[in-house]
Amino acid sequence: MAELRFKALEEVFSRQPKEVILPSNEVTDFFGEKVFDRFKMEKFLNREAFQGVMNAIDKGTSIDRKMADQVAIGMKAWAVSKGVTHYTHWFHPLTDGTAEKHDGFIEFGDNGNMIENFSGKLLVQQEPDASSFPSGGLRNTFEARGYTAWDVSSPAFIVDTTLCIPTVFVSYTGEALDYKAPLLKTLSLIDKAAVEVCQYFDKNITDVETSLGWEQEYFLIDEALYHARPDLILTGRTLMGHGSSKDQQLDDHYFGSIPERAGAFMKDFEIEAYKLGIPVKTRHNEVAPNQFECAPIYEEANLANDHNQLIMDLMKRVARRHNFRVLFHEKPFAGINGSGKHNNWSLKTNTGVNLLSPGKNPKTNLQFLTFLVNVVKAVYENQDLLRASILTAGNSHRLGANEAPPSIISVFLGSQLSCVLDEIVEKVSSRKMTPDEKTEIKLGIGKIPEILLDNTDRNRTSPFAFTGNRFEFRAVGSSANCATAMISLNAAVAAQLINFKKEVDKIIEKGLTKDEAILQVLKQYILSSEKIRFEGDGYSEKWKKEAKKRGLTNINSVPASISKYLDKQAKRALIDTGVFAEKELRGRVEVEYEKFTKKIQIEARVLGDLAINHVVPTALTYQNKLLENVKGMKDIFPESVFKDLSGARIDLIKEMSERVTSIKEYVREMIEERKIANKIEDLKEKAFEYDSKVLPYFDKIRYEIDKLELIVDNEIWPLPKYRELLFTS
Ligand code: ADP
Ligand code: MG
C-alpha cells in the first residue's frame, strides 16, 4: 500500500523547475492583451457603440438592443482576431467557484452554409441550464428559471479560445442567484450613501467608488504526493497526519527566498494574469512551509473580485503545468498556519480622494475621521453579520480553532488614531462650542497626517485592522469569493452612513453648525462603539476573556454564525437597504446551511473510508509482524529471557489494538450520527446536527490515527506524511 507514497516521493525528487520565458521584455507590451478594454473597444466599436458602453460603465446608463448588436459585432471581431471560436457567460454562482458554458460562434447561414455569428441578444442575456446551481429553494418552480445578464462594468476577456463575458445570474422573478448581483447593489448603495455624507465637506464629490485589494494565500503541493492523499483530492485538506517534527517553528519560510519550482509557477501564472489585465504585484513565501501569497494592485471592487476569481482558476490550471496542485483551503494542514484572503478595503471619490486617508487640512481630516468612525461603528453594530459572511466550514479551522485567532470581531486602529478619537470624546461638548474650543479641536484634527506618517504599528492578530489608508478585513478565508465579505461590509457601512446623515441633519436643524453637529455625532459613535476597538494580541486567551466581559460575541459554530444573517441587525443592513428581499436572503442562508452540511458530510465519508480502508489494515499488518516476532522470540528464548525482552513489543501490540478498536468504534458511531442527521429535512436543523453530532468525531478519529502513524513501520504507511507533503518539493 505504501508503494504509491514512495513512488510519489521518487517523482518529486526527480523534478526540475520548468523554464518560464517572459513573452516580451516589458510587461506593458502584453498587459491586458486578452481583455476587451477601453482601448480595444475604441478600435473595434463604432463611435456610437463605444460612447454607449463608456456611458454605461461610467454613468450606469443602459444599453439598448441595437447598440448591444453593435458591441457584439466589435467584440466578436476582436475575439476572432485572437483565435477565439467560442463564447461564454461567466458568472459567480453560490458555489466555491465560477461557472461557464461554452458555445461556438458557428451557426448555419440562410443558405445552409456555416457562418460565425454573435449577436447583441447573446451578449446581453442567456439562459444557462441553471437547475443544478444552489438557490436555496428560490428556483423550485418552473417559472423561476435563471438567466445570466451582461455586467458592462467588468470587461470581457479571453481564456484559451473562449470569449468570457462577466455576467450576473438572476432568476426570472428577479432574485439574485449569484455573488455578483448583490455585490453590485452594495457598491451603488455605498456610492450613494457616501456621496451624501461627502456633500458636507465638498460639493464636487458626486461619485464614491469602493476599492478592493485582496491578498491571496495558498499552499503548493507536488501533484504526485497530492494524488497519494485521497483526503486532499476530495476535501482540499488533510484529515489526518501527524505534525512534522519541524514545521514553522524557526520562522525560516516567511519572506525567505522563493523555491525555484514555486518561483517558476509564480512567474508563469503571473504572465497569464498580466495578459488578462490582472495587476499582480507582490509575491512572497508565507509563514507555513510551502505556503505563499500573491497580491495585486487594488482596483474597483467588482473588477477586483472578478480578477480574484479568475486568478484562482488560473493558478489551478497553471499549477498543473508545473506538477503542482494549489490548495486554497483555509486549513489544509493542522498545526501550522492556515490561509486567508485579506480584503483591503477603501473608498475613493471622483475628486481623487481616498476617504480613509487623512488629508492635509482640518476640513479633509474631519471628512477622514467621519468615514473612519462610521466604519468602526458599522463593524461594532454588525459584528455578527460580518462573521456570518466569512465563517465557513473551511474557515472555521482558522477562526476559533485551537491554533488560530478566535472568532471575535474587533477593530485595530493603532495607538495614534486611538488618541485622536479619545481627544474628540474629551473636547467635543454637546452644547455650542466657543471659538477657542473650536480652534483647539481644529488644531488637533489638523495634525493627523503628521502623526500617521510614522504610524508603523501593525497588528497581525486583528481581524479588521486600519492600515494607514484602508481597512484590512483579515478574517476572510482563502477560498472565499470576496463578494460575500464585501457585500456585508458595504451594506453595513452604507446603512451606517445613511443613519449618520440623518443624525447630523437633525442637529443642524437645531441650529448648530455643520462641523459641530458632525463632531457631536462622531463623539457619540466613538463612545458607543468603543468596545469593538482592541489593540492587543487577538490570539491570546486574555483577549477571549476580555471580549466576553465587553459583551462582544464569539461564535465558533458555523451554523450558529450563519443564523445571524437573519437577525434584526443584519436585516437592517441587508434588507432595509434593498440589497436583498427577505425571501432572497432566506434562500441564501439555506444555501449556506446546505453547503456546510455537505462539506462535513463529504469529509466524514472520506475520513471513515481512509480510517477503515487505509489506516486500520496497515496497522493490522504491522501488528501481525510484531505478533510473529513475539512468537518467534518465545520459540527461541528461555521463558525468563523472553519475559524481559518482549514486554515493550507486547505493549505496542496492545496500544495498537486499542487504537484500532477506538477508530473502528468512532467511525461506526459517526456513521450512525450521519444516518440520523441525513433524515432531517430542515436544512438549518440538519446543519446544526452535523455540527454538534458528526463533526466532533473528526478530532477523535484523527487523534488515534496520528498516534498510529508514529508507531507503524514507516515502510508500510500508505499516506504521504506531513514532512513529505511540506518539505520535499
Ligand atoms: P501587507 O501584506 O503588508 O498587508 P501587501 O502588499 O501584501 O501588504 O498587500 C496590500 C494590499 O492592499 C495590496 O493588494 C494593495 O494594492 C492593497 N491596497 C493598498 N492601498 C489600498 C487602498 N487604499 N485601498 C484598498 N486596497 C489597498
Ligand atoms: Mg501581504
Side-chain angles (χ1 to χ4, degrees), residues 535-551:
E535 307 284 307
D537 178 1
Y539 290 14
S540 66
E541 274 307 307
K542 218 171 100 199
W543 169 230
K544 275 196 211 165
K545 282 191 201 130
E546 162 80 20
K548 195 169 172 188
K549 247 201 308 198
R550 292 188 187 186

Side-chain angles (χ1 to χ4, degrees), residues 130-253:
S131 52
S132 324
F133 293 109
S135 75
L138 287 177
R139 228 172 345 85
N140 277 341
T141 53
F142 173 71
E143 288 75 22
R145 286 169 308 169
Y147 68 91
T148 51
W150 181 27
D151 168 18
V152 189
S153 62
S154 183
F157 55 90
I158 296 171
V159 172
D160 194 23
T161 52
T162 301
L163 172 68
C164 302
I165 298 149
T167 53
V168 294
F169 181 35
V170 281
S171 79
Y172 266 101
T173 40
E175 290 95 6
L177 299 172
D178 69 347
Y179 290 119
K180 192 191 257 280
L183 175 65
L184 290 172
K185 270 195 190 164
T186 63
L187 292 173
S188 76
L189 182 71
I190 206 165
D191 174 13
K192 254 177 87 187
V195 165
E196 292 257 316
V197 171
C198 286
Q199 288 289 311
Y200 286 136
F201 306 99
D202 183 352
K203 297 282 178 210
N204 294 319
I205 298 179
T206 52
D207 262 309
V208 172
E209 184 179 280
T210 306
S211 305
L212 166 64
W214 42 262
E215 299 166 54
Q216 179 71 56
E217 294 181 341
Y218 60 95
F219 280 85
L220 281 181
I221 301 298
D222 188 275
E223 73 178 0
L225 294 167
Y226 175 88
H227 282 139
R229 292 284 314 213
D231 46 357
L232 274 182
I233 297 175
L234 297 176
T235 72
R237 73 178 181 109
T238 55
L239 298 171
M240 57 194 64
H242 195 279
S244 168
S245 310
K246 171 185 185 289
D247 46 52
Q248 62 188 42
Q249 307 93 323
L250 302 178
D251 289 325
D252 48 357
H253 188 65

Side-chain angles (χ1 to χ4, degrees), residues 419-490:
C419 282
V420 174
L421 299 197
D422 291 344
E423 211 175 74
I424 291 179
V425 169
E426 194 189 314
K427 295 200 174 137
V428 173
S429 66
S430 48
R431 52 170 173 78
K432 252 183 152 6
M433 282 188 271
T434 65
D436 278 356
E437 284 171 330
K438 278 190 203 164
T439 315
E440 203 193 332
I441 285 249
K442 273 194 182 161
L443 271 177
I445 291 177
K447 284 193 193 122
I448 299 175
E450 291 148 52
I451 58 164
L452 279 191
L453 219 52
D454 50 41
N455 178 1
T456 43
D457 43 24
R458 280 288 197 108
N459 186 325
R460 301 216 168 255
T461 64
S462 173
F464 200 93
F466 183 73
T467 48
N469 63 355
R470 61 190 186 268
F471 277 98
E472 192 170 335
F473 194 3
R474 307 168 52 91
V476 184
S478 49
S479 72
N481 185 311
C482 301
T484 50
M486 292 294 99
I487 290 166
S488 291
L489 178 60
N490 291 343

Side-chain angles (χ1 to χ4, degrees), residues 701-714:
I701 295 170
R702 175 184 191 138
Y703 178 80
E704 303 295 338
I705 293 176
D706 290 356
K707 288 285 179 200
L708 281 175
E709 186 188 316
L710 289 185
I711 303 174
V712 170
D713 182 0
N714 182 55

Side-chain angles (χ1 to χ4, degrees), residues 60-77:
T61 54
S62 60
I63 289 181
D64 64 22
R65 212 15 224 292
K66 202 177 123 232
M67 199 182 284
D69 275 333
Q70 290 172 359
V71 176
I73 290 168
M75 208 186 254
K76 195 200 89 184

